Amino acid sequence: MSTVAASIKYNGKVVDFPLANPAENEIADEVLHENLARPTTERTKRLKARCRWKHAAAGEFVDAEVRAGIERMRYITEAHKASAGQPEVIRRALGLANILNKSTLVLQQDEFIIGYHAEDPEMFPLYPELAYMAVQDYLMSDYSPQPKDEAAEINEYWKKYSMQAKGERYFTQEELLQMYQVSTMEAPGFATGYNSISPPYETVLQDGLLKRIESAKEKIEHAKKEMQKIPWNATTGLDWIARIDVWKAMIIADEAVINWARRHARLAKIVAENFETNPARKEELLEIAEISQRVPAEPCKGLKDAFQSKWYTYLICHAIDRYASGYAQKEDEMLEPYYNISVKEKSFQPMTHTDVVEMVEMERLKISEHGAGKSRAYREIFPGSNDLFILTIGGTKPGYVDACSDMTDAILEGARNIRTTEPSIVFRWHPVGREKTKRLVFECIRDGLGYPSIKHDVIGTEQLKYYSQFSKNSNGATDEEAHYWGLVLCMSPGVCGRRKTHKTRSEGGGSIFPAKMMEIVLADGFDWSYSGMQLGPHTGDPTTFKTFELLWEAFRTQYAYAISKVIRAKDIMRYFESKFLQMPFVSSIDDGCMELGVDAMELSEQPNGWHNPITTVVAANSLVAVKKLIYDEKKYTMAQLVTALHANWHGYEDMRQDFLNAPKWGNDDDYADAIIKDFYEDIIGGEMAKITNYSGGPVLPVGQAVGLYMEIGSRTGPTPDGRFGGDAGDDGGISPYMGTDKKGPTAVLKSVSKVQKNQKANLLNQRLSVPIMRSVHGFNIWKSYMDAWEQLNIDHVQFNCVSTAEMKAAQKEPEKHQDLIVRVSGFSARFVDIPTYGQNTIIARNEQAFGADDLQYLNTQL
Amino acid sequence: MTTCKNCSFYFAVPEDAGDFEAGKGDCVLEREDAKGKYWLSKPTKNDSASCKAFKKA
Ligand code: SF4
């Protein structure tokens, strides 16, 4: 039997909470999620049943068949050797062309959107030119590419050319060692190869690549004429050389992509005519062939074209030319014109709304089996998932006009019906957003998917306008462009569309860990609990800090040291990316790169700098406890605290209880919140904002934890918030520490709303009561909560809606709970694929019920 | 010596294709595992020595 929420007295009435769907009364709490999937068609049911998931748990792939392929690394290396002496940007284009021309293509039974990035559907590619250490890790694992000797030789070849070899030269040995600890700072991108991008899909869908090739050819013609002008002027004339090479590289890349897509067309036709026996599928394969012959070469004419063209573009930008996590796109607005052609006008590729939902489900399953050749460290931080895949919907058009459409609804319906962990969805919330769509958002959340996560539409839009003022070429986002945004990864808005999108991680992404900094501030910058080395500057013996302000300033010094170093590492990486890791295909589909003849790795028009503080709340709660117990009440001395921490609190339990019971973030507590607000705004955001990055703008914090709150927790010694060494950090960016928000959901909102200055984004995880959300009042309560959240000007919120009973049942019998999905941090994961340590951090989050006081504050109409 | 040209899995690249080269073809093989059927296409040359999967056309 399902649990029903207890009745409450509200506004003088007794309110009962019967389930919205009475049939659920018969479903036990422990198995609810196994009863929610309802794939729209028999085809998507089959595709889900046979999906080749690439989930990792504790850094290991869950499916034993998953392994690395060798083709990509083989062909990029072959091309690199053969192209020695040519301009670097041309070499990059030839590398991509060689991969696309020679790689094995995959076509699977039942699929309609086709294309894969490795030579077998169980494989994923590797990128020795990005990070030889990541490849080395694979060579030593069960997932090694075969033949292993060849792979090892290729990896050895790239060492001297690698980004790591280039980037490391500009750091001291001490600095490198500090970064490679990954305890106060994330390791530099030139060592990990981790990357993210927002491809300008729209140019491919709207123009087609043939038109892009034409543009590049015209540009070259124009450049040649300019160079021939008399009298010769070297101060302008020589600039054309590099630009001509960039345009030539674009042509090479685009022609290769067209040929590759058309090889897929041939494959589908050959299978239809020589292998397939089912007449209906035969016909479908011929339609698939026709689509891949047309796109991405030509503009999309209908919705099927658009899904396919987008998929090919995704594969090139995220997986074949270079690895990049994410699934950044404003999918509903991008596809809406094609939805209208195919569903409303039925003038090309006619289909019903239900057919579109099926397409959405098929796209989700393609992403679910997309493998990423990430390093082990990056597999560990996304437990229970493949990688980060996040698409954006909802929001507004210029003038704050609702941008939701029937395409938005189809995306939500598909996600709700098929139930996959990825891709995650972000919904941009604005009061004008239509209720029909918001109900679908609610249904996904209520069904426990953990997404859509919600972003504040106005904050995101205004932020992009703010950044545009720092544009190096005075061509930042216009009002219209600022409205067309999607999240680049989990949390940070970035421009989508034809121009000015995020091209590489040097702009944003990467982490810094305040909890560990708190620990070393109390040890003169020394890491006594994990690495045994000096991780930051000497900020003094904490027992000599006579005032809280001295402790505060010591923290600031440690933080400023680390943040400058990590941004410097990203910008040095960007410098070398623009010289050796150009992306001619991406450049060809960006209007700015095309117009100016500048590679996408070099051109920056819209600054959008950010970095992710992870475990901020552990540090913040620690500062509150120290201020209260040592400096205000003087109950303990700093020396006593340092001694207790070095003993991991053993023998000091009463003292630990005092520190644990000191005021905590998320309870609308004035004492704690005043300190923590300052901490976020003055140090976490304030020190970061002093930095100017490659793009000429400030860097702002995007607090979001991915799975790193577990990793970093395990590397962080005991902290003054009463936490034991090794315990997990806080799981969001601004979320209360798990289990410490005891005053209900609206107290959390009030605390979080106090932090406003110097922030870019902050992740707020909340766990909602399943019986209340599944009751007849679920939507009204949630909607009033969301409206209050919007009015409080909070940037983000996301929800788990899963019972403790079901999570505990899944821990006992994982095989029976394959459809149980939870929100970890910026991503959702299959619960049973998360290590127990991580599962327990989710169970420990407070399940927020809504009492009469909360409903009164929210002015909920029941 | 048997070559790809005589194999039933060899499909010559049409002359109007962007990647056309004389003697170039697609080798298309059907595979099946626990998760279903799939097809692989790899470029080959008609005069390449045949492989273990060769099947007379
Ligand atoms: S490679 Fe083997 S299977 Fe393929 S066409 Fe040649 S002989 Fe046939």
Side-chain angles (χ1 to χ4, degrees), chain A residues 629-779:
Chain A
L629 293 165
I630 294 178
Y631 292 103
D632 290 359
E633 297 176 2
K634 302 193 178 5
K635 185 165 181 184
Y636 300 99
T637 64
M638 185 65 91
Q640 284 173 305
L641 174 64
V642 169
T643 305
L645 292 175
H646 278 256
N648 197 17
W649 298 107
H650 291 308
Y652 300 89
E653 185 53 23
D654 288 348
M655 183 178 174
R656 188 181 85 87
Q657 285 300 327
D658 279 342
F659 280 81
L660 194 61
N661 291 323
K664 293 282 183 283
W665 178 241
N667 295 292
D668 192 26
D669 179 293
D670 287 343
Y671 182 88
D673 291 1
I675 297 166
I676 293 173
K677 171 187 160 68
D678 270 2
F679 185 58
Y680 271 96
E681 294 185 346
D682 178 32
I683 296 187
I684 299 294
E687 288 303 316
M688 217 185 264
K690 290 177 184 169
I691 289 169
T692 303
N693 82 345
Y694 177 89
S695 297
V699 181
L700 288 173
V702 170
Q704 65 89 10
V706 286
L708 272 165
Y709 71 95
M710 305 175 216
E711 292 271 309
I712 295 307
S714 72
R715 290 170 201 176
T716 302
T719 38
D721 55 344
R723 182 187 144 277
F724 286 114
D727 280 357
D730 47 290
D731 58 45
I734 203 158
S735 304
Y737 190 77
M738 53 197 178
T740 63
D741 45 342
K742 296 185 170 153
K743 298 271 175 65
T746 55
V748 174
L749 291 185
K750 287 178 197 166
S751 284
V752 170
S753 70
K754 293 169 190 169
V755 176
Q756 295 288 343
K757 216 174 102 194
N758 288 338
Q759 308 296 305
K760 191 171 201 301
N762 273 308
L763 189 148
L764 175 60
N765 260 328
Q766 287 287 274
R767 193 177 154 201
L768 301 177
S769 151
V770 177
I772 291 180
M773 287 302 116
R774 300 197 77 78
S775 77
V776 293
H777 303 303
F779 177 71

Side-chain angles (χ1 to χ4, degrees), chain B:
Chain B
M1 180 184 80
T2 52
T3 60
C4 288
K5 190 179 179 182
N6 310 113
C7 178
S8 63
F9 303 125
Y10 177 84
F11 301 90
V13 173
E15 281 185 26
D16 60 354
D19 60 335
F20 173 79
E21 284 170 30
K24 187 178 173 186
D26 298 323
C27 161
V28 176
L29 293 172
E30 182 172 294
R31 295 258 195 270
E32 185 160 11
D33 65 10
K35 291 170 193 148
K37 272 189 198 168
Y38 56 96
W39 294 268
L40 303 176
S41 167
K42 186 152 178 53
T44 186
K45 288 290 189 131
N46 61 9
D47 57 359
S48 295
S50 62
C51 74
K52 278 193 286 189
F54 176 84
K55 192 173 148 220
K56 197 158 167 32

